[in-house]
Amino acid sequence: MSVDEPDVRAVAQAVRDAESVVALTGAGVSTASGIPDFRGEDGIWERHDPMDFHIDRFRSDPEGFWRDRVKLQASAFDDGNVAPNAAHEALAGLESAGHLDTVVTQNIDGLHQDAGSEDVIEIHGSAARVVCRDCNQRFDAEPAMARARDGDLPPTCDDCDGTLKPDTVLFGEQLPEHALMQSQAKAESAGVFLAVGSSLTVEPAASLPRVAAERGATLVLVNLESTPLSGRADFDFRADVTEALPQLRRAVEE
Ligand SMILES: [Zn+2]
């Protein structure tokens, strides 16, 4: 499914003219890389018990938490064998060409950075990192994950021996305040706000595009299905993100 070319050219013009362009990305950008949606039908939380990944479980039983986390890693991220897709590449390309300021993402897979995006705000954290509960240092997740796979549970900090936690927002945990404030500020100053592959039903993703539109941003939605903001958007592309975003990037660069 491709989107109407004159509309794409109009969005491209708005992107070129805007002082600040912000993209919000949701699960639809990750599913195109083969990562199952966490919510939804046949999602991760249909196959794993969300309570196993609650912060209280981590606190009371870090060993069991990590044992389950290893299984989740295998089924959600194919043990790390996932790669960026054309939507990630298009956003990274727009950024490197100076047409995109920031990606705010609900996804935790780190694929925007893998594609080359530099200014990424991860409002649900990142599974590509772990954080030490004692000294707060962050490390690449893979060595910790490898140790956990080998039965070294729970993996601990090389520096202080504190317990390592995936640097993602667990059930029962607050979203990172700094990331939230940053993304709110970016939304307020955006000239164009692209909401991509998000159903826009979970906070803060639901409110960021609304805030941007209220402040005068051109609001562009790219999602296979309609969203609560579809009626409000300047452009509502019901399209595959891996087709629509490369199409937009080409139009911006024409
Ligand atoms: Zn530590």
Side-chain angles (χ1 to χ4, degrees):
M1 193 175 6
S2 70
V3 295
D4 188 45
E5 197 55 40
D7 282 349
V8 173
R9 283 200 294 273
V11 172
Q13 187 64 49
V15 165
R16 281 194 298 262
D17 291 346
E19 296 245 327
S20 171
V21 177
V22 175
L24 167 73
T25 64
V29 172
S30 292
T31 51
S33 282
I35 296 167
D37 198 348
F38 277 77
R39 296 180 175 82
E41 214 174 304
D42 202 33
I44 295 286
W45 301 134
E46 296 284 311
R47 282 175 277 155
H48 298 268
D49 184 353
M51 291 316 284
D52 287 344
F53 300 96
H54 195 282
I55 184 66
D56 292 342
R57 167 86 188 298
F58 176 83
R59 288 197 189 108
S60 63
D61 176 21
E63 192 177 324
F65 172 94
W66 269 102
R67 197 175 294 118
D68 289 333
R69 185 67 184 74
V70 165
K71 292 180 200 153
L72 181 76
Q73 182 78 2
S75 69
F77 303 113
D78 192 18
D79 274 332
N81 297 313
V82 287
N85 61 59
H88 296 105
E89 308 279 358
L91 291 171
L94 284 168
E95 182 184 353
S96 67
H99 295 300
L100 177 70
D101 288 81
T102 302
V103 172
V104 179
T105 188
Q106 300 172 270
N107 302 328
I108 58 170
D109 46 52
L111 290 180
H112 285 298
Q113 290 91 333
D114 288 351
S117 287
E118 289 180 7
D119 196 336
V120 182
I121 301 174
E122 296 168 310
I123 50 183
H124 293 144
S126 174
R129 293 186 306 265
V130 290
V131 57
C132 173
R133 295 291 278 172
D134 288 347
C135 72
N136 275 321
Q137 282 190 86
R138 288 172 163 79
F139 305 97
D140 279 345
E142 189 38 45
M145 200 58 74
R147 269 158 34 212
R149 274 195 296 267
D150 290 345
D152 181 3
L153 299 167
T156 53
C157 177
D158 285 340
D159 273 4
C160 77
D161 214 31
T163 304
L164 296 174
K165 185 187 92 67
D167 195 17
T168 54
V169 177
L170 300 183
F171 291 104
E173 280 192 303
Q174 300 286 326
L175 298 185
E177 198 173 341
H178 182 64
L180 283 181
M181 283 170 55
Q182 271 187 311
S183 45
Q184 177 84 11
K186 294 285 184 184
E188 286 173 5
S189 61
V192 175
F193 192 99
L194 306 166
V196 185
S198 172
S199 59
L200 304 179
T201 51
V202 182
E203 286 299 333
S207 58
L208 291 173
R210 191 178 309 115
V211 164
E214 279 164 6
R215 296 294 185 100
T218 300
L219 180 58
V220 183
L221 310 183
V222 184
N223 199 46
L224 281 173
E225 276 135 36
S226 82
T227 74
L229 283 180
S230 288
R232 181 85 238 235
D234 297 283
F235 297 91
D236 182 23
F237 297 137
R238 304 285 166 81
D240 186 324
V241 298
T242 62
E243 289 173 18
L245 288 188
Q247 202 180 342
L248 174 61
R249 180 190 179 184
R250 284 193 298 275
V252 169
E253 289 173 353
E254 257 169 21

